[in-house]
Amino acid sequence: MKVAILGSGAMGCLFGAAFHRAGHDVTLVDVNAAHLDAINAHGLELDTRAGVEHLPIPARLPADAAGPFDLVVVFTKTFHTQGALEGLAHAIGPATHLLSLQNGLGNDRRLAGFVSDDRVMVGASMLPSDLVGPGKVRSHGEGYSRLYPAFGGDPAMAQALAEALTAGGLPAQLDPEIHNAIWSKVIFNAAMNPLCALTRRTPGFLGASAEARATIRAVVEEGVAAAHANGAMIDSAPIHALTETSMTDHADHEASMLQDVKAGRRTEVDAINGAIVEAAEDKGVAAPVTRTLWHLVKLEEAKLAPS
């Protein structure tokens, strides 16, 4: 397959590397010129528990990406989805499939309109990855990914992608209940990401704090109640287990929201905590702790924004 990774930060590079290892024709697409230049000059440096690799994957600005692609994997921030896909529209053909592995709720609707509904896929990944410098990505943790057609239909392409990712070293599987999996990941992120961003600390720090643990537990329970009210009948126990894994196995991982706040960038808190609160309140369910974290991160964004 001819594959474009649209938004080639830490997670995008990790997945691009997997498709590359599986023998596919991968192009990393991003707007970070320094990052692209480093990859093109020295290869993508990927540091995992298996060792350090230097992978010769071409990296391009959107305007320079030559399509049409068979697959575009979208890893941009949720608020950049529309603009990013518009910038790559010249490389999206009549047979191109789109796959969102982004954070937050509602990514299926953001992709719809760029291709027909039967070529939209969504997924959820619980893999850690950090961009440690231009062209350099570190991923020292275990995880998995799930994916499926966003609006139902033939899962053949999704199955091919899961097999390719697994062959490339990132375990992935089909999940007909993918929207439940997405809800679970959003709830996990709503519990962990804001606290990392607000404390400027990694999950290991949160694990040592009784106050943080109580807050995390409350957000998970509020999120599950919101999911249930919206028809996603998920269990809270696996999400609580994931938060524990985050605080132990991924203790030093810098959550994306922490990276954004440290860099003075807008976060995805609206698509994570904000989306949970809005989905909950639309059904008459309260989510006060999740709302408070949402507002506190928005205050951080206001503080960092140019005056």
Side-chain angles (χ1 to χ4, degrees):
M1 288 183 294
K2 189 174 175 65
V3 179
I5 306 295
L6 184 58
S8 296
M11 289 294 290
C13 284
L14 186 65
F15 276 75
F19 281 114
H20 171 81
R21 289 194 209 98
H24 298 286
D25 179 6
V26 178
T27 301
L28 302 174
V29 182
D30 206 273
V31 295
N32 183 337
H35 183 49
L36 301 181
D37 289 346
I39 294 171
N40 287 325
H42 308 292
L44 171 64
E45 181 177 302
L46 183 60
D47 178 2
T48 68
R49 288 178 175 175
V52 177
E53 300 172 274
H54 290 86
L55 304 174
I57 305 175
R60 302 286 183 264
L61 293 168
D64 300 328
F69 291 100
D70 300 304
L71 172 69
V72 176
V73 186
V74 184
F75 266 115
T76 63
K77 299 291 189 184
T78 51
F79 46 82
H80 289 318
T81 301
Q82 180 78 19
L85 284 170
E86 288 173 353
L88 197 67
H90 65 281
I92 297 174
T96 301
H97 287 74
L98 301 182
L99 167 63
S100 169
L101 286 163
Q102 299 160 285
N103 292 323
L105 298 174
N107 291 307
D108 50 353
R109 294 188 297 275
R110 296 184 185 98
L111 269 56
F114 287 93
V115 297
S116 58
D117 284 359
D118 62 307
R119 289 185 282 124
V120 176
M121 295 170 287
V122 289
S125 178
M126 301 307 298
L127 290 156
S129 190
D130 298 295
L131 185 65
V132 296
K136 299 181 179 182
V137 170
R138 179 179 183 270
S139 180
H140 278 215
E142 303 301 324
Y144 59 89
S145 302
R146 297 175 179 176
L147 59 149
Y148 208 73
F151 304 107
D154 186 356
M157 183 62 166
Q159 179 66 48
L161 302 188
E163 291 172 358
L165 288 169
T166 301
L170 297 185
Q173 62 188 40
L174 293 190
D175 186 353
E177 301 296 324
I178 191 60
H179 294 288
N180 286 359
I182 289 171
W183 262 102
S184 294
K185 182 183 177 183
V186 171
I187 293 166
F188 166 83
N189 280 332
M192 301 301 298
N193 264 269
L195 284 173
C196 288
L198 293 167
T199 61
R200 305 298 200 276
R201 295 292 186 272
T202 57
F205 171 82
L206 303 181
S209 164
E211 293 83 2
R213 283 180 168 275
T215 303
I216 290 165
R217 187 160 199 84
V219 172
V220 170
E221 293 300 327
E222 289 180 359
V224 169
H228 288 178
N230 283 273
M233 305 312 292
I234 59 176
D235 184 4
S236 65
I239 307 174
H240 286 303
L242 281 173
T243 67
E244 289 294 331
T245 299
S246 176
M247 292 183 284
T248 54
D249 290 7
H250 306 159
D252 297 324
H253 168 61
E254 286 204 350
S256 60
M257 212 173 283
L258 169 59
Q259 295 179 44
D260 290 338
V261 168
K262 287 173 64 175
R265 297 188 299 253
R266 180 182 174 186
T267 76
E268 293 183 290
V269 73
D270 291 333
I272 299 173
N273 292 66
I276 291 173
V277 170
E278 290 168 357
E281 295 185 347
D282 184 59
K283 301 295 185 181
V285 175
V289 182
T290 309
R291 174 180 280 279
T292 297
L293 291 180
W294 177 25
H295 288 177
L296 289 172
V297 174
K298 294 301 287 184
L299 281 174
E300 285 291 327
E301 289 184 356
K303 183 175 70 177
L304 294 167
S307 57

